[in-house]
Amino acid sequence: MSIYPTLTNKTYVVMGIANKRSIAWAIAKTLDAAGAKLVLTYAAERFKSGLESLAADLNGEALLLECDVTNDAAIDTTFRTIHEQAGPIQGIAHSIAFADKEALRGEFSEMTRGQFAQALDISAYSLTAVVKAAKPYFAQDASVITLTYLGGERVVPNYNLMGVAKAALDSSVKYLANEYGPHGVRVNAISAGPIRTLSAKGVGDFNSILSELEQKAPLRRNVSAEEVASTGLFLLSSMGSGVTGEVIHVDSGYHIL
Ligand code: NDP
Ligand code: N5H
């Protein structure tokens, strides 16, 4: 008998696949391999065809829906449609963040009010907006995960505004876990080490952060999106049934230094 959970006929929503390098795509593939019924959401129409080609490689047939997380009505419609077409929601992987590139370098306090509001809206508030919209449709023992980064716990050069957004996200995880626990819903975060994705492209000193981790982290190597995804599977399945309000670091142990 396999020690891995079987997710056959269980509906999972994965939000934040930009391309094949996305952490959300690794999560989708892992859930698919465990037999889950998948719903994949994308930010705007122009991302649809790319996602369709990726989804064609999955074992199961996925439902693809547009969902811009800055739009409450869009979020409500998305979750109503998911329930109508795919039944109760067993889990959600929220893998979404955005900050104006200009605010991800140079001096932290140079950011504008508008840049701050946008980054916090998309990268932190959206988790609560999504959980709220899914509330009527959760299965009895549902689980939600989000992706965070060490720069929300301590200063990491250039992470700047995103550090504040991740601190808000990490705190939201705790408040949501406390509120939704009595309803049987768990809420956790995975703090991933640096992974070369579209978001990471062209920002800050990404290469030096990768090599610093490789030299100093307990495991002396970087992590893969697949390693993040297998921790995601643990948290999203019954294997993680006793865990909520937690941040699990999948970063080769770098955070202990
Ligand atoms: P990707 O660029 O692959 O994913 C980011 C996703 O955010 C994209 O799919 C993008 O959608 C989505 N997004 C942005 N704005 C919106 C919006 N308004 N509505 C809906 N979706 C939106 O990068 P990653 O996989 O690296 O990032 C996923 C998560 O992992 C983020 O929360 C990131 O902060 C976190 N993380 C990443 C690390 C890394 O080193 N890569 C390390 C630690 C955490 P679209 O392309 O459709 O616009
Ligand atoms: C310390 C670092 C490196 C410096 C900071 C990087 C922060 C990255 C996070 C945000 C989410 C990146 C971002 O918003 C980029 C956008 O301004 C421009 N890119 C886009 O618009 C692309 C096309 C779309 C797909 O991107 C998004 N997000 O929609 C942190 C790194 C070591 C680790 C890291 C990269 C963390 C993280 O949170 O992603």
Side-chain angles (χ1 to χ4, degrees), residues 16 18 22-23 43 47 68-69 95-97 147-148 166 192 194-195 197 199:
S22 295
I23 295 170
F47 303 111
D68 174 356
V69 297
S95 186
I96 290 172
L147 270 298
T148 189
K166 291 303 191 191
I195 295 171
T197 61
S199 277

Side-chain angles (χ1 to χ4, degrees), residues 138-169:
F138 277 126
Q140 262 175 1
D141 51 351
S143 170
V144 177
I145 61 166
T146 188
L147 270 298
T148 189
Y149 179 63
L150 188 64
E153 300 172 60
R154 54 170 108 142
V155 172
V156 174
N158 297 314
Y159 203 59
N160 294 7
L161 169 54
M162 272 308 300
V164 179
K166 291 303 191 191
L169 180 71

Side-chain angles (χ1 to χ4, degrees), residues 17-19 22-23 43 47 95-105 122-123 147-151 156-160 162-163 166 192-207 209-210:
I17 303 173
N19 61 26
S22 295
I23 295 170
F47 303 111
S95 186
I96 290 172
F98 183 87
D100 186 341
K101 223 171 185 164
E102 295 307 314
L104 298 172
R105 58 171 166 241
I122 298 177
S123 316
L147 270 298
T148 189
Y149 179 63
L150 188 64
V156 174
N158 297 314
Y159 203 59
N160 294 7
M162 272 308 300
K166 291 303 191 191
I195 295 171
R196 206 180 289 281
T197 61
L198 190 54
S199 277
K201 210 173 168 182
V203 288
D205 223 356
F206 186 75
N207 287 339
I209 293 174
L210 278 177

Side-chain angles (χ1 to χ4, degrees), residues 118-195:
Q118 183 190 35
L120 271 282
D121 184 19
I122 298 177
S123 316
Y125 179 73
S126 66
L127 177 69
T128 296
V130 159
V131 169
K132 215 160 51 158
K135 189 176 180 184
Y137 312 124
F138 277 126
Q140 262 175 1
D141 51 351
S143 170
V144 177
I145 61 166
T146 188
L147 270 298
T148 189
Y149 179 63
L150 188 64
E153 300 172 60
R154 54 170 108 142
V155 172
V156 174
N158 297 314
Y159 203 59
N160 294 7
L161 169 54
M162 272 308 300
V164 179
K166 291 303 191 191
L169 180 71
D170 296 355
S171 186
S172 304
V173 165
K174 294 178 192 163
Y175 280 92
L176 288 169
N178 185 54
E179 182 184 337
Y180 283 74
H183 303 285
V185 181
R186 296 182 293 108
V187 185
N188 292 287
I190 299 176
S191 182
I195 295 171

Side-chain angles (χ1 to χ4, degrees), residues 38-138:
L38 289 184
V39 180
L40 313 177
T41 73
Y42 52 92
E45 183 63 28
R46 64 183 181 282
F47 303 111
K48 189 179 178 184
S49 66
L51 192 55
E52 276 171 348
S53 342
L54 278 181
D57 287 342
L58 296 171
N59 298 310
E61 202 174 316
L63 174 63
L64 271 48
L65 295 173
E66 183 176 324
C67 185
D68 174 356
V69 297
T70 61
N71 181 336
D72 284 329
I75 298 173
D76 282 344
T77 305
T78 302
F79 280 90
R80 201 173 336 107
T81 309
I82 292 170
H83 186 246
E84 279 164 13
Q85 300 196 19
I89 298 167
Q90 191 66 47
I92 302 174
H94 169 281
S95 186
I96 290 172
F98 183 87
D100 186 341
K101 223 171 185 164
E102 295 307 314
L104 298 172
R105 58 171 166 241
E107 287 175 329
F108 168 74
S109 66
E110 283 302 308
M111 68 180 163
T112 65
R113 191 184 293 270
Q115 288 169 332
F116 185 90
Q118 183 190 35
L120 271 282
D121 184 19
I122 298 177
S123 316
Y125 179 73
S126 66
L127 177 69
T128 296
V130 159
V131 169
K132 215 160 51 158
K135 189 176 180 184
Y137 312 124
F138 277 126

